[in-house]
């Protein structure tokens, strides 16, 4: 049972779900400059874990055939048969229920937007089959986290929400552009699309730097619009250094 649970968690990259929680809580803390209450915090965590789990399950199930052909991904749990497809689908449905329940408990706007977020997360895996802009689809999927946190505590969507989400989106787009350079030959051979497949490796890294610049500009602009303190800009500086180090 422990091994089965471990396979489930590894298959949906549960550690990455935990890693994405800070994005949601940045969105939840900034509007009121304070940490949300315990109930709201719990519901944000439930919704984030649910949404992320559903999205990862959709990715794994929809891409299972591609993963079984790609040398980099053929050892994933579903292609190796360590997890049955139906088991993974059940896990994804549980995640979906958690998302909808938490959104219902938070506020009306969260509830209304939750099905749209779920559909978007399910659509992402198909994008690489049709467009080299698939990294954009992923980036805005990750941008749901800060927007969701913001809406969870305010019940509204604002220009500030858009700036924050844009920063996270372009940071993720830049990262995903680099990530897919390792699959360029596989994508060309199997008719899949990415920036690397379209523009080559060297240009993809240049494009990624442009996206990172947009992300940094978005975060700085958010600070200006909201009149945030110098500590925020120090955080932007440290984050910018961290981003540059990956090159």
């Amino acid at each position: 049972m422990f091994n089965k649970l471990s396979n489930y968690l590894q298959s949906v990259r549960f550690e990455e779900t935990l890693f994405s929680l800070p994005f949601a809580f940045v969105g939840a803390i900034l509007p009121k400059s304070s940490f949300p209450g315990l109930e709201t915090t719990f519901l944000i965590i439930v919704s984030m874990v649910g949404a992320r789990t559903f999205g990862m399950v959709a990715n794994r199930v929809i891409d299972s055939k591609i993963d079984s052909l790609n040398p980099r991904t053929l050892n994933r749990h579903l292609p190796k048969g360590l997890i049955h497809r139906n088991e993974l689908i059940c896990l994804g449905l549980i995640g979906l229920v958690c998302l909808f329940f938490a959104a219902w408990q938070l506020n009306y706007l969260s509830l209304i937007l939750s099905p749209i977020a779920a559909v978007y997360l399910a659509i992402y895996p198909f994008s690489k089959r049709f467009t080299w802009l698939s990294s954009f689809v992923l980036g805005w999927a990750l941008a749901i986290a800060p927007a969701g946190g913001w809406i969870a505590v305010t019940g509204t969507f604002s220009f500030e929400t858009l700036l924050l989400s844009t920063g996270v989106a372009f940071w993720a787009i830049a990262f995903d552009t680099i990530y897919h350079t390792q699959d360029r030959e596989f994508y060309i051979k199997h008719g899949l699309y990415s920036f690397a497949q379209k523009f080559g490796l060297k240009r993809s890294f240049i494009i990624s730097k442009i996206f990172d610049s947009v992300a940094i500009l978005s975060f700085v602009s958010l600070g200006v619009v909201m009149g945030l303190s110098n500590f925020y800009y120090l955080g932007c500086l440290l984050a910018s250094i961290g981003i540059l180090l990956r090159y």
Side-chain angles (χ1 to χ4, degrees):
M1 179 62 72
F2 178 79
N3 288 337
K4 200 72 169 179
L5 178 61
S6 177
N7 286 338
Y8 288 148
L9 295 178
Q10 291 175 19
S11 180
V12 299
R13 299 279 182 89
F14 188 72
E15 70 280 3
E16 292 184 10
T17 299
L18 298 178
F19 173 74
S20 66
L21 281 175
F23 294 131
F25 281 108
V26 167
I29 292 170
L30 278 179
K32 298 184 178 181
S33 299
S34 63
F35 210 83
L38 289 178
E39 181 180 356
T40 302
T41 297
F42 173 74
L43 291 172
I44 290 173
I45 293 173
V46 171
S47 63
M48 274 294 301
V49 172
R52 174 77 184 183
T53 300
F54 172 73
M56 286 300 299
V57 167
N59 189 296
R60 292 292 182 261
V61 171
I62 293 169
D63 280 353
S64 58
K65 183 176 180 180
I66 293 175
D67 287 345
S68 67
L69 297 174
N70 190 341
R72 184 177 62 80
T73 59
L74 57 82
N75 286 323
R76 286 178 175 171
H77 296 76
L78 196 57
K80 288 188 69 175
L82 299 177
I83 296 178
H84 193 275
R85 181 187 183 93
N86 291 339
E87 293 176 334
L88 208 53
I89 290 174
C90 286
L91 182 62
L93 292 176
I94 292 172
L96 197 61
V97 170
C98 289
L99 169 62
F100 291 158
F101 173 78
W104 172 52
Q105 291 294 306
L106 283 165
N107 54 59
Y108 181 72
L109 185 58
S110 295
L111 177 61
I112 292 299
L113 293 178
S114 58
I116 299 175
V119 170
Y120 189 89
L121 291 172
I123 287 175
Y124 158 67
F126 292 105
S127 61
K128 68 175 70 71
R129 295 163 169 82
F130 304 107
T131 175
W132 49 267
L133 294 172
S134 57
S135 291
F136 269 82
V137 184
L138 173 68
W140 285 104
L142 293 181
I144 291 174
W150 193 293
I151 294 170
V153 299
T154 66
T156 61
F157 187 91
S158 66
F159 178 65
E160 291 85 353
T161 321
L162 179 60
L163 282 176
L164 176 60
S165 296
T166 299
V168 172
F170 275 88
W171 170 82
I173 293 167
F175 179 86
D176 198 57
T177 299
I178 297 173
Y179 181 78
H180 282 290
T181 57
Q182 59 190 322
D183 291 329
R184 181 173 184 267
E185 298 303 323
F186 178 82
Y187 273 37
I188 293 173
K189 181 178 179 180
H190 292 274
L192 300 173
Y193 301 92
S194 68
F195 278 103
Q197 170 270 330
K198 177 72 173 180
F199 299 106
L201 300 181
K202 184 176 180 179
R203 288 182 179 177
S204 292
F205 278 96
I206 295 173
I207 291 170
S208 177
K209 291 179 181 179
I210 295 172
F211 292 153
D212 275 330
S213 298
V214 174
I216 294 169
L217 179 61
S218 297
F219 290 135
V220 172
S221 298
L222 176 65
V224 173
V225 171
M226 296 189 66
L228 299 176
S229 70
N230 290 332
F231 287 105
Y232 174 82
Y233 294 107
L234 176 60
C236 288
L237 176 61
L238 294 175
S240 300
I241 293 172
I243 287 173
L244 293 175
L245 287 176
R246 71 185 181 189
Y247 295 101

